[in-house]
Amino acid sequence: MPLPPFLPRSPRYDRVDALRGLAMVWMTVFHFCFDLSHFGYWPQDFRHDPFWTQQRTAIVSLFLFCAGLGQAIALEQAQGWGRFGRRWLQIAGAALLVTAGSFLMFPHSFIYFGVLHGMAVMLVVARLTAGWGPWLWLAGGAALALPWAMAAALTGPWAMAAEGFNSRWLNGLGLITRKPFTEDYVPVFPWLGVMWWGMAAGQVLLRRQRAWLAAALPAPMRPLAVLGRWSLSYYLLHQPVMIGALMLVGWVLGRPG
């Protein structure tokens, strides 16, 4: 029986992987500082101090922009719904694991619509709207502005509807007047706008700057690309490892748990 023809794998773009890897490193440092604060080694106000809140915004933005870039590349390489669906199930399953783990550690502020939950929804929307082309830039800007417009409406003419949008059933949309008490909150709006802009940027790069996008990375940056290829696994593992290490340190030092 003849062997099937060799089918080359779709090329990876190391620059996109490295950008995602950079987000992972930044996130790790941020989470380690958070863990130090949680265990009382270095108390910080992660909910209100702009030094920390602005970093969180930048890290999430970088993640979602990279996700948009990745979708542009996947669609350009004709990756079908089957492969998309398998990856989507991994992200959705990981989101459920995050919810379960955070409930054990933070039962009063567990994560029910964090970055993975938001990505699971936004990736489907991005996939369905990829054909909008340049209109993705306008859609992204509208998505970024929508929460502020809705907040004004919900404290004005639509005030009666505010509690419904603030409820746990609908606040994943991001059209709220009161931020929920949870350890991670990445609603569809405004963050879908960042993913849309990432997809629009990816389409432009693939059309006009493919050679730059495909260029080899300098040697010192290659580990970032490797890390970026394993972003989901790393995301799930890094916090349990750091938390476990700090708990072990606390036990050795005789600190109360």
Side-chain angles (χ1 to χ4, degrees), residues 137-223:
W137 294 108
L138 182 61
L144 291 171
L146 183 60
W148 283 269
M150 280 295 293
L154 292 172
T155 54
W158 297 352
M160 293 289 290
E163 284 309 305
F165 281 101
N166 287 332
S167 70
R168 186 170 289 177
W169 298 106
L170 290 180
N171 64 20
L173 293 173
L175 310 178
I176 58 172
T177 60
R178 183 181 65 250
K179 187 175 179 181
F181 183 59
T182 177
E183 295 301 320
D184 189 28
Y185 177 58
V186 182
V188 175
F189 299 103
W191 295 106
L192 176 60
V194 179
M195 187 178 288
W196 267 335
W197 278 356
M199 177 176 280
Q203 291 176 354
V204 171
L205 288 170
L206 288 165
R207 188 167 60 251
R208 301 181 182 176
Q209 297 290 336
R210 186 184 296 268
W212 177 87
L213 195 62
L217 282 173
M221 294 183 64
R222 289 172 194 163

Side-chain angles (χ1 to χ4, degrees), residues 63-76 79 81 84 88 91 118-133 135-136 139-140 143 188-189 191-201 203:
F63 265 122
L64 295 178
F65 190 83
C66 287
L69 286 173
Q71 280 304 295
I73 292 168
L75 286 163
E76 197 264 349
Q79 292 181 12
W81 279 98
F84 173 86
W88 185 89
I91 293 170
M119 282 186 68
V121 175
M122 288 182 265
L123 283 171
V124 174
V125 177
R127 180 89 180 188
L128 292 172
T129 56
W132 289 2
W135 290 100
L136 289 170
V188 175
F189 299 103
W191 295 106
L192 176 60
V194 179
M195 187 178 288
W196 267 335
W197 278 356
M199 177 176 280
Q203 291 176 354

